Amino acid sequence: MSDQERLARYVEIWKQACADFVALTRTLTPEEEHVATDLEGWDVHDNVAHTAHLEAVLAGAPEETIEVAPAPHIKGITSYYTEQGVLARRDRTLAELADEIEDAVERRHATLLADPPTDGSVAAPKTPGGVPWTLDTLLGNRPVDVWMHEQDIRRAIGRPGGYDSPAAAFTLGRFASGFPVVLGKKVAPPAGTTVVVDVPEADVRAAAVIGDDGRAAKTSGDDADATITLTPEAYAILAGGRRPADTVDAQIAGDEALARQVLAALAVTP
């Protein structure tokens, strides 16, 4: 697959993820709007506002610059930036936020179709907060971010769903691709150690082995020291860094202590 084909795929998955997100937003009730989510300090409305902020900015809207008071969930420059967008939209209704997302996505999608990206390694012309991302990183990040916030909302209001979408498959696959880093850098077991994370309901399987140099590489997972089986939701929660490992159910075969270490280190998002 060429760079242009891969990037075009990212764009279409992102567009559908945004449509799914907006569709959910338009069904939210006043009672659900301010339910707390797994993201510290953010309720359902804040998740929608954050998504509207980033999509608007990427479509060319001016950045909001407002004062952000210190809070426990604001832990760095990135948090400060995202909080500005949320606070700037605090008085907007969910319908207004949904409209903002739809408008931004329509405009940005039209731009991306008119001038399709062809090289994922070049610097993205616009990124959230000016982070130094390539086009590949930016376009690959957006469907993940949008889908994860849809799931944050769904868990908060007790309305599961969205695991049969292109964005779900894309996100869980991206998480799986980061598993060698989890095993090699965060867990760092002895050379020769092999661990498998299996998510059969999503047709996702991540297997990595530690080499003699201490680095982890993808492998078949045969004769694994530990195999961890998770539901798609449990994998999204842990790999997305939403909840501690002891809050989800996991089936473990083999070395349980090793598996527990892996579960505790499974997050691949900041």
Side-chain angles (χ1 to χ4, degrees):
M1 183 183 294
S2 69
D3 256 21
Q4 184 168 346
E5 291 170 328
R6 187 183 68 257
L7 297 174
R9 175 173 171 264
Y10 292 173
V11 169
E12 293 311 309
I13 294 173
W14 155 75
K15 184 174 183 290
Q16 183 60 54
C18 290
D20 294 342
F21 186 93
V22 167
L24 174 63
T25 298
R26 294 199 187 281
T27 69
L28 295 171
T29 68
E31 292 75 25
E32 293 170 329
E33 182 174 359
H34 296 296
V35 175
T37 69
D38 285 332
L39 297 177
E40 184 184 2
W42 279 10
D43 61 17
V44 167
H45 185 281
D46 295 334
N47 276 263
V48 179
H50 165 68
T51 303
H53 170 221
L54 294 195
E55 293 303 338
V57 165
L58 291 172
E63 296 275 12
E64 291 95 0
T65 303
I66 62 177
E67 184 176 351
V68 177
H73 65 284
I74 302 175
K75 299 179 172 68
I77 294 176
T78 299
S79 294
Y80 182 89
Y81 170 79
T82 55
E83 197 72 12
Q84 283 187 318
V86 169
L87 293 177
R89 290 162 175 78
R90 186 131 287 171
D91 294 333
R92 298 185 195 177
T93 67
L94 289 175
E96 289 171 334
L97 294 174
D99 289 344
E100 183 178 19
I101 296 170
E102 277 190 330
D103 175 68
V105 170
E106 182 179 348
R107 288 187 288 110
R108 185 160 171 255
H109 186 249
T111 299
L112 290 167
L113 288 185
D115 185 17
T118 59
D119 184 354
S121 68
V122 302
K126 177 67 177 177
T127 63
V131 293
W133 282 353
T134 63
L135 265 177
D136 194 281
T137 300
L138 173 66
L139 296 179
N141 172 270
R142 291 312 303 143
V144 173
D145 189 57
V146 174
W147 184 78
M148 285 298 290
H149 287 302
E150 177 193 334
Q151 292 305 312
D152 292 329
I153 292 170
R154 287 186 176 279
R155 282 194 307 278
I157 64 176
R159 228 195 288 176
Y163 279 89
D164 57 351
S165 69
F170 181 77
T171 300
L172 297 180
R174 295 274 283 201
F175 288 164
S177 70
F179 181 62
V181 174
V182 169
L183 187 64
K185 291 192 174 181
K186 297 175 73 175
V187 181
T193 300
T194 300
V195 178
V196 172
V197 175
D198 193 19
V199 191
E201 293 174 47
D203 196 25
V204 168
R205 189 172 186 269
V209 60
I210 302 296
D212 292 337
D213 59 358
R215 297 182 179 221
K218 294 180 181 179
T219 185
S220 65
D222 296 337
D223 300 319
D225 296 278
T227 298
I228 303 165
T229 302
L230 297 167
T231 65
E233 182 177 50
Y235 189 43
I237 287 170
L238 296 185
R242 266 35 181 192
R243 295 178 184 175
D246 60 5
T247 63
V248 306
D249 291 329
Q251 296 179 18
I252 295 172
D255 188 332
E256 181 164 354
L258 172 62
R260 295 295 176 192
Q261 281 185 284
V262 171
L263 284 166
L266 207 52
V268 294
T269 57

